Amino acid sequence: MFTKTDMSYGVNEVLLASVLGSIVFAVLAAQPLVIVGVTGPITVFNYTVYDIITPTGTNFFAFMCWVCLWSLVMHWALAFTNACNGLRYVTRFSCDIFGFYVAFIYIQKGIQVLTHQGYDEAFYLSVMVSLLVLGFAYGCGIVGESTMFQHYIRVFVKDYGTPLTIVFFTGFVHIGRMDGVQLQTLPTSKAFFPTADRGWFIHFWDISISDVFLAIPFAILLTILFYFDHNVSSLIAQGSEFPLRKPAGFHWDLFLLGLTTGVSGLLGIPAPNGLIPQAPFHTASLCVTKIAPASESNDSKDHPTAVIDHVVEQRVSNLAQGLLTLGTMTGPLLIVLHLIPRGVLAGLFLVMGVQALEANGITLKILFILRDRALTPASDPLRRVSKRALYGFVSVQLLGFAATFAITQTIAAVGFPVFILALVPLRTWGIPRWFSSEELGLLDGPTASEFTMVSVGGNFGEGDGEGGGSGVMMSAEDTAVSSDEELAERGERLGTIATRDFSDRGHLGAGERMQHHGVVGEEMEMRRLSGAVRRRSTASRHGARAMDIDG
């Protein structure tokens, strides 16, 4: 974005955007676990708008300010009208495609950085360093997930291995003969000042009236992007694999996102939103595990395994990383940042992309297809899916990714949010025509637990009967709870399900994992709800009888 916008957005702008998002969401958001910052998709959006607007002679910063201000109004309109209720239609199908796209954007950016390093020894050294960063950082993740060393060592290596790798290889390029190679480094500017020669406050009035209204369609596209991108990041960060106890607040968080978008426009910085894969990685880093004995673990019949016991839900970690990011805008730390070779940064992009791909549902399905069937566990749910259904489902997902990725390589990239949003109705009304409900129950499923989705009306297609939560798309009449007694029974059922061991989820399909989210807080809440509903139902019946008597 620095080079493609002619230094309009530099290091300080990106850092300030990250600080703005982190502080606002850490302090005020309903779900502060979501890491907010400058994402790959908004980078594509920004430099595409720059390519479209700059040749016309329009002030880019003033135009982007109006785009963000119009988008603020649209975000607030969506929040006030409870538009986030549409998230109940979002399943793993859409999230996996979008996550796959974001992962490839990171990998593409890493490769693009390397292609600008010249053709001599600087290029080859940059390529070598980037691959070493990728290998070492990825290896730290493997160690963190392994059984090597003590638990606290594994946690340290997993959480801090990547930043320590960046520090090490920043100094590594100065060893021996490599010190004589002139490498391009991260460009920085004056402390707490914009990269370009301007002030922090944008003169949004330095623009024609026609351009003010021309910004509206761009604002619509930005709002669509943020509605999907941020909410999907939030859903994945609150995925059914995380036993969260505190509820979500999607409408309020969308309102805050509109606020930060408008402020970003006035400051002339990229608008921040939820980050993939950083958001789910943050939640995963806050998971506290326990050792499950072999008799209680489904992962191994011979060895105990680590399972998630609970998540440390708090606001401190997000706020702390935001304040630390603010500290990097000071003069001394900007000098340190300026020492980082671009080859090391390219390696960091590759690390984020590879790690996001590794955990993606599309990748897992492709690996299942490539795996020797004789060595595939019989308990794997995908073994119950026909090859036709599995190949077809993965093909549709890859086609959706290819279409989204292809459009971002053209001047029409500004419209790619429409393609992303179109994945939701495709899954809701198109995919069920090609796959049976049993197949979808194994191939797809809700992104977050019913506990997380309660504020938006629950996951679409979840019934009270057998197969609930399997991702089967049914009519609203079939899924609605028609009486207080049914809601009470539903609460008792969920409370019973919540007591099951978390380790069960390791062998279940996407839909079945929904029934094993194991949230103790949900159990207590649903039992309380069932009791309250029964009391309300009893009072209503007594009141009705009294009215009959009076009649």
Side-chain angles (χ1 to χ4, degrees), residues 251-293:
H251 308 296
W252 171 247
D253 288 354
L254 187 65
F255 177 87
L256 290 180
L257 187 65
L259 177 63
T260 57
T261 301
V263 173
S264 297
L266 293 173
L267 295 177
I269 59 178
N273 69 298
L275 287 165
I276 298 176
Q278 290 89 331
F281 284 173
H282 180 227
T283 307
S285 68
L286 296 172
C287 290
V288 177
T289 59
K290 67 177 181 180
I291 302 300

Side-chain angles (χ1 to χ4, degrees), residues 224-345:
I224 293 174
L225 172 62
F226 275 13
Y227 174 84
F228 190 86
D229 192 357
H230 182 82
N231 284 319
V232 166
S233 301
S234 182
L235 286 173
I236 297 177
Q238 302 174 82
S240 53
E241 66 270 26
F242 301 122
L244 301 176
R245 292 183 173 88
K246 297 181 180 179
F250 295 101
H251 308 296
W252 171 247
D253 288 354
L254 187 65
F255 177 87
L256 290 180
L257 187 65
L259 177 63
T260 57
T261 301
V263 173
S264 297
L266 293 173
L267 295 177
I269 59 178
N273 69 298
L275 287 165
I276 298 176
Q278 290 89 331
F281 284 173
H282 180 227
T283 307
S285 68
L286 296 172
C287 290
V288 177
T289 59
K290 67 177 181 180
I291 302 300
S295 59
E296 299 179 10
S297 174
N298 291 328
D299 294 332
S300 175
K301 296 181 179 179
D302 302 320
H303 304 286
T305 57
V307 296
I308 299 176
D309 183 66
H310 64 278
V311 179
V312 182
E313 300 177 64
Q314 36 70 48
R315 300 179 182 272
V316 177
S317 58
N318 199 353
L319 178 62
Q321 67 93 15
L323 295 176
L324 289 173
T325 302
L326 179 63
T328 60
M329 294 181 65
T330 59
L333 290 181
L334 281 177
I335 294 175
V336 173
L337 291 178
H338 182 64
L339 297 175
I340 302 177
R342 293 196 181 187
V344 173
L345 293 176

